[in-house]
């Protein structure tokens, strides 16, 4: 049978059209969903710290639930934001904590208003361990002792890493002194330093009176005898009482949950005025490119809701001394913006 050129052309066109239609249908089926290899950048360069630990736990659970290849990449805050800026497809996601907006409030270079520039994803966990410590032989037995000493004119030096989670507790303490002992707040002096080991060394060398630390990093030093140069003790945990009450009963190391509760409100109070006390829960959450498909936002929300409903991730997080804390994207964004406004007020008060 002879087929004309015209018939062949018609059939060819039909095949091409069908192929295009199928291709479009497949693309539409994939729209609004994560696909391919997913890179989860984090605002830390350490693969041993809390940001990486949290991100790995959550990312592994999400990868299994969605049957995707997802990898955590510890690139640091500035690089993470730049990488996120370049990818609106959903193949790059970011996980970070409150430093993402605190850095902006403190004017740290490279930080923007995340609520304007990005889409805020769900919260996933809290590190309840943000703490302040003194040498074990310090004359300051409690946080009240420190506030009273500064109010009486004593200079108290506090080692912090400026511009974020490490500094917000210092700012709140300075603000409380300004409220309770007006004009004396400048006696509380920030000694700006770097990593946790740097802050610890400042305390060992008697260069500061107080350091910002964490339960995870510093609990080991609280077990040492008082005559040891490295011996420390907690005076304040910034987390809320409710957050610490969710920690495992055994606490961490040789410090039980009951002992940790001695260092949060109402036992350790930092006033914000008007009968309100300062607390700070270090929360971890997703951040997305502003132009990423809203369908992907919804997909991740739904997947994580199922994961947290199943309950296994809670046990994994608690085993690493983190508090499970899932909020879907919309609720998380509203909650974090409220925190930002609250801490903005403290920072403005002490400028």
């Amino acid at each position: 049978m002879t087929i004309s050129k015209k018939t062949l052309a018609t059939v060819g066109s039909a095949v091409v059209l069908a192929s295009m239609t199928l291709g479009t249908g497949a693309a539409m089926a994939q729209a609004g969903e994560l696909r391919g290899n997913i890179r989860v950048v984090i605002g830390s360069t350490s693969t041993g710290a809390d940001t990486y630990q949290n991100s790995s736990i959550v990312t592994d659970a999400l990868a299994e639930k969605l049957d995707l290849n997802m990898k955590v990449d510890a690139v640091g805050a500035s690089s993470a934001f730049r990488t996120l800026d370049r990818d609106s497809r959903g193949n790059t996601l970011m996980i970070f904590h409150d430093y993402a907006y605190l850095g902006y409030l403190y004017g740290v270079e490279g930080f923007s208003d995340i609520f304007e520039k990005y889409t805020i994803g769900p919260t996933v966990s809290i590190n309840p361990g943000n703490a302040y410590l003194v040498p074990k032989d310090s004359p300051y037995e409690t946080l009240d002792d420190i506030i009273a000493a500064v109010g009486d004119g004593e200079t108290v030096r506090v080692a912090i890493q400026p511009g974020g989670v490490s500094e917000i507790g210092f700012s709140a303490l300075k603000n409380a002194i300004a409220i309770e002992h007006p004009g004396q707040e400048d006696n509380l002096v920030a000694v700006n330093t770097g990593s946790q080991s740097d802050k610890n060394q400042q305390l060992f060398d008697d260069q500061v009176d107080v350091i910002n630390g964490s339960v995870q990093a510093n609990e080991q030093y609280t077990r040492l005898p008082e005559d040891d140069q490295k011996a420390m003790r907690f005076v304040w945990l910034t987390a809320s009482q409710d957050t610490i009450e969710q920690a495992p009963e055994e606490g961490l190391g040789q410090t039980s949950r009951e002992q940790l509760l001695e260092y949060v409100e109402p036992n350790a109070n930092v006033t914000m005025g008007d009968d309100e006390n300062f607390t700070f829960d270090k929360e971890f959450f997703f951040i997305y490119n502003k132009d990423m498909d809203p369908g992907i936002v919804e997909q991740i929300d739904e997947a994580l809701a199922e994961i947290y409903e199943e309950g296994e991730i809670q046990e994994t997080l608690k085993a690493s001394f983190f508090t499970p804390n899932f909020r879907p994207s919309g609720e998380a964004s509203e909650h974090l913006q409220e925190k930002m406004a609250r801490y903005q007020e403290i920072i403005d008060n002490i400028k």
Side-chain angles (χ1 to χ4, degrees):
M1 182 176 65
T2 303
I3 301 176
S4 69
K5 291 183 179 180
K6 181 177 180 181
T7 302
L8 283 172
T10 302
V11 172
S13 297
V15 170
V16 170
L17 180 61
S19 175
M20 289 174 64
T21 302
L22 286 171
T24 302
M28 289 178 65
Q30 288 185 328
E33 293 183 356
L34 291 172
R35 52 190 180 272
N37 296 320
I38 312 300
R39 184 185 185 195
V40 181
V41 293
I42 63 173
S44 169
T45 56
S46 171
T47 57
D50 57 351
T51 304
Y52 189 86
Q53 286 181 286
N54 271 277
S55 302
S56 294
I57 291 169
V58 174
T59 298
D60 288 350
L62 196 57
E64 183 177 354
K65 170 64 71 174
L66 297 175
D67 192 24
L68 289 168
N69 179 29
M70 303 180 71
K71 178 186 177 184
V72 177
D73 196 357
V75 298
S78 297
S79 181
F81 282 124
R82 287 196 303 268
T83 303
L84 194 63
D85 290 341
R86 294 194 297 265
D87 188 355
S88 61
R89 302 165 301 163
N91 291 88
T92 303
L93 311 175
M94 181 175 177
I95 296 178
F96 203 17
H97 52 68
D98 300 81
Y99 188 24
Y101 63 84
L102 287 173
Y104 170 70
L105 292 183
Y106 281 115
V108 178
E109 186 177 352
F111 282 75
S112 305
D113 184 346
I114 59 170
F115 302 104
E116 291 289 336
K117 191 171 182 180
Y118 303 99
T119 296
I120 304 304
T123 60
V124 292
S125 66
I126 296 170
N127 180 349
N130 189 50
Y132 286 80
L133 303 97
V134 297
K136 194 167 271 190
D137 62 358
S138 170
Y140 308 125
E141 293 289 335
T142 66
L143 189 62
D144 285 342
D145 289 343
I146 294 172
I147 294 172
V150 174
D152 286 340
E154 291 184 29
T155 297
V156 175
R157 304 158 299 171
V158 186
I160 61 170
Q161 188 171 5
V165 169
S166 181
E167 187 168 1
I168 189 61
F170 171 84
S171 298
L173 189 56
K174 197 177 188 76
N175 182 58
I177 292 166
I179 293 170
E180 296 183 358
H181 306 281
Q184 300 298 313
E185 61 272 16
D186 287 344
N187 295 323
L188 189 75
V189 178
V191 178
N192 294 331
T193 184
S195 66
Q196 190 60 59
S197 61
D198 293 334
K199 287 180 279 187
N200 292 347
Q201 194 62 49
Q202 292 274 355
L203 200 69
F204 301 155
D205 294 341
D206 198 28
Q207 297 301 305
V208 296
D209 307 292
V210 186
I211 62 168
N212 170 248
S214 70
V215 174
Q216 294 92 328
N218 296 91
E219 191 274 341
Q220 58 183 314
Y221 298 108
T222 67
R223 308 177 205 165
L224 300 173
E226 187 173 313
D227 60 357
D228 191 307
Q229 182 185 7
K230 295 184 177 181
M232 307 176 187
R233 53 184 167 79
F234 296 112
V235 288
W236 183 30
L237 269 61
T238 65
S240 65
Q241 182 182 36
D242 179 63
T243 295
I244 298 298
E245 285 177 342
Q246 295 179 60
E249 185 176 357
E250 63 273 17
L252 185 75
Q254 296 177 14
T255 306
S256 68
R257 180 177 64 197
E258 183 178 358
Q259 290 172 304
L260 293 174
L261 285 167
E262 296 175 12
Y263 308 114
V264 301
E265 61 170 353
N267 298 315
N269 292 320
V270 175
T271 185
M272 291 181 62
D274 299 324
D275 298 322
E276 183 181 8
N277 289 322
F278 170 86
T279 59
F280 173 75
D281 286 331
K282 183 180 179 182
E283 297 185 78
F284 294 83
F285 54 94
F286 279 87
I287 305 172
Y288 307 133
N289 184 290
K290 194 78 170 179
D291 297 323
M292 190 179 79
D293 193 316
I296 297 176
V297 178
E298 184 177 350
Q299 180 193 22
I300 294 173
D301 274 356
E302 291 176 355
L304 285 174
E306 291 178 12
I307 289 167
Y308 279 80
E309 180 67 27
E310 291 162 4
E312 184 178 342
I313 195 171
Q314 283 90 327
E315 298 309 311
T316 305
L317 287 166
K318 287 181 179 181
S320 297
F321 200 68
F322 300 121
T323 303
N325 178 47
F326 172 70
R327 286 186 179 89
S329 298
E331 184 182 333
S333 181
E334 183 178 349
H335 165 71
L336 292 168
Q337 287 185 71
E338 288 173 357
K339 284 180 74 175
M340 179 175 168
R342 188 170 182 241
Y343 301 144
Q344 173 78 71
E345 183 179 342
I346 290 172
I347 295 168
D348 287 346
N349 284 349
I350 62 172
K351 281 183 178 177

